[in-house]
Amino acid sequence: AQTVTQSQPEMSVQEAETVTLSCTYDTSENNYYLFWYKQPPSRQMILVIRQEAYKQQNATENRFSVNFQKAAKSFSLKISDSQLGDTAMYFCAFMKGSSNTGKLIFGQGTTLQVKP
Amino acid sequence: DAGVIQSPRHEVTEMGQEVTLRCKPISGHNSLFWYRQTMMRGLELLIYFNNNVPIDDSGMPEDRFSAKMPNASFSTLKIQPSEPRDSAVYFCASRTRPGHTGVETQYFGPGTRLLVL
C-alpha cells in the first residue's frame, strides 16, 4: 500500500522569504503522479503543482517549484518570495499512474503561516 | 467553467436524520470522487465513479453511507441515519477523461461542512 508522510505539522516564514515543505512517500509503483494541494482557511482544495514520476525535470509554477527525488521517494515543495496569501495548509498527494485508477492518497498536511 | 459545484455548503442536522450531499462535476469530466476530511483521519477517499459507474467504494465507512451518480452531471452522497462521528468536510472532485491533457488532475469543489449534533 502507498503512504505519504509530511513530517512538518507547522511551519512559518517571513513574507518575501523562501520556505520548503517536505514530503516523502512509499510505493512499489514505477508510474505515478505527485501533487501539492493548498487549503486556505476557506477550506477550498487548490492544486498548486503536479509532477509525473517519469519526468526527471522538476515541475515549476511561478513561485512554486518541487524537488523530486525519485530514488529517495522525496517530493518537497519550495515557495519563493512568500506572500501573505500563501498562508494555508499544504497537502502532498500520490496517485497511481493508470488512468483507470484515481485514488489520491494524502499526507497529513503542513500548516504554513506567512508572517508580515 | 464554473468548477465543481457542491451543495449545501454547510449542513447542521440531528443524529438519526438523513443527510444528502450534492455534487455537479465540471462539464466534460467523466470521473467523480467523494472525499471526507476529519481531524483524526485527514483526507480519505470514500468512493469514485468512472462514466457514472462506481469503481471503488472501499472507503465508504459502512452501510449508512451510499452514493449515486444517475448521470454525468450529478452525484449524491447520502448518510442515513447520520451520527455525530460523521461530522466532517465532504469534498467532491472531478477529472477529465483519458486521452485528455491533465487527465491525472482532480479538481475539487468547495466542500460541504457537515455537523451532526
Side-chain angles (χ1 to χ4, degrees):
Chain A
Q2 291 79 22
T3 59
V4 177
T5 301
Q6 294 177 250
S7 58
Q8 305 153 313
E10 296 180 353
M11 294 192 72
S12 64
V13 63
Q14 292 295 131
E15 196 175 6
E17 298 288 304
T18 295
V19 64
T20 298
L21 309 183
S22 301
C23 173
T24 59
Y25 59 95
D26 187 26
T27 184
S28 59
E29 302 285 330
N30 193 48
N31 182 23
Y32 53 88
Y33 297 90
L34 296 163
F35 306 84
W36 279 98
Y37 279 89
K38 168 185 177 181
Q39 188 177 41
S42 66
R43 290 277 185 177
Q44 177 80 47
M45 292 289 286
I46 303 166
L47 177 69
V48 175
I49 199 166
R50 66 170 176 256
Q51 174 80 42
E52 294 90 337
Y54 64 85
K55 289 187 177 179
Q56 291 188 340
Q57 186 173 6
N58 289 324
T60 299
E61 289 287 342
N62 300 315
R63 298 182 295 107
F64 299 88
S65 61
V66 298
N67 182 6
F68 174 47
Q69 301 289 329
K70 191 172 184 179
K73 296 179 182 175
S74 171
F75 184 61
S76 60
L77 174 69
K78 185 171 82 171
I79 306 175
S80 303
D81 185 24
S82 297
Q83 301 176 359
L84 296 178
D86 295 335
T87 292
M89 194 159 199
Y90 288 81
F91 292 93
C92 178
F94 169 98
M95 189 183 77
K96 286 184 184 179
S98 168
S99 61
N100 291 324
T101 67
K103 183 175 183 177
L104 277 172
I105 299 170
F106 288 91
Q108 307 93 314
T110 296
T111 300
L112 176 66
Q113 177 77 39
V114 180
K115 299 179 178 179
Chain B
D1 200 315
V4 177
I5 299 173
Q6 290 187 247
S7 65
R9 295 292 304 276
H10 302 274
E11 177 80 26
V12 180
T13 190
E14 293 187 347
M15 182 174 62
Q17 296 297 306
E18 177 180 295
V19 175
T20 299
L21 311 182
R22 297 173 177 80
C23 175
K24 176 179 170 55
I26 294 172
S27 177
H29 284 193
N30 77 327
S31 294
L32 183 141
F33 306 81
W34 283 101
Y35 290 89
R36 179 172 67 175
Q37 185 178 30
T38 62
M39 289 292 292
M40 292 297 295
R41 299 174 66 89
L43 276 154
E44 53 184 346
L45 178 70
L46 298 178
I47 185 171
Y48 81 92
F49 297 83
N50 274 353
N51 296 316
N52 313 336
V53 176
I55 301 300
D56 182 356
D57 65 354
S58 59
M60 295 286 264
E62 49 199 89
D63 292 345
R64 298 185 297 107
F65 285 69
S66 62
K68 294 182 180 180
M69 192 164 186
N71 57 62
S73 59
F74 184 66
S75 177
T76 59
L77 178 67
K78 186 176 293 187
I79 309 172
Q80 166 65 19
S82 58
E83 297 182 2
R85 59 193 169 121
D86 301 330
S87 298
V89 180
Y90 291 82
F91 288 101
C92 176
S94 71
R95 70 172 187 180
T96 191
R97 57 194 67 246
H100 286 229
T101 300
V103 64
E104 70 284 354
T105 299
Q106 296 179 26
Y107 296 91
F108 283 73
T112 295
R113 186 182 294 241
L114 173 65
L115 178 61
V116 183
L117 301 174

